[in-house]
Amino acid sequence: MPALEPPFPACFACCPGGMCCGGGVDDLAAWAHLPEVALRAVAGLFTAAPADRQRQGVTARFAENLIREYQLRISARTAARCRFSPSCSAFGLEAVRRHGAWTGTRLIWQRLSRCRTTVAYGTADPVPVAGGAA
């Protein structure tokens, strides 16, 4: 019998049987990775920034790292539920990249506040263009 392999690296280290990963019984168990997400986002500040991201400040890099780590460590382990297109985390990443940390965070909060059960899945809601033009 082949050995059982976790769907994601290091899943057995945090979750018995890797149940939090790959859509186990309880998607909330994937949130056990939240401390790891925060620590990796901070650690990412001390790595070299990609050449096209050199102009970003520390706050914007931290926000971008936090969203990327969320996408890799939590969102990938839970069922897709986002009602908008692009997904809220992809929207957040693009908002931070286009508008910076503070305005991007405001746009993310506005997007999250618009999410209701009456919104149809797949509703288009792109990131506004920098400069206020529609």
Side-chain angles (χ1 to χ4, degrees):
M1 175 180 282
L4 183 63
E5 292 186 22
F8 297 95
C11 282
F12 288 132
C14 65
C15 311
M19 287 308 294
C20 75
C21 306
V25 176
D26 183 12
D27 279 345
L28 291 177
W31 285 92
H33 295 276
L34 188 59
E36 178 186 4
V37 166
L39 289 174
R40 286 179 180 266
V42 171
L45 295 175
F46 300 103
T47 61
D52 61 337
R53 301 279 179 234
Q54 288 293 340
R55 296 183 320 221
Q56 282 187 328
V58 174
T59 311
R61 285 186 62 202
F62 176 71
E64 190 172 325
N65 290 346
L66 197 59
I67 294 168
R68 285 296 302 141
E69 289 297 328
Y70 164 80
Q71 288 176 331
L72 293 170
R73 312 233 179 276
I74 296 176
S75 183
R77 293 176 166 99
T78 58
R81 291 186 186 88
C82 194
R83 295 179 175 275
F84 293 108
S85 177
S87 70
C88 290
S89 58
F91 177 93
L93 194 59
E94 186 64 27
V96 168
R97 286 179 177 166
R98 278 191 195 175
H99 300 282
W102 300 111
T103 304
T105 301
R106 181 180 53 81
L107 291 169
I108 294 166
W109 280 112
Q110 289 174 347
R111 167 81 174 262
L112 292 173
S113 69
R114 289 192 302 266
C115 187
R116 301 198 181 356
T117 56
T118 56
V119 176
Y121 285 98
T123 300
D125 187 20
V127 176
V129 177

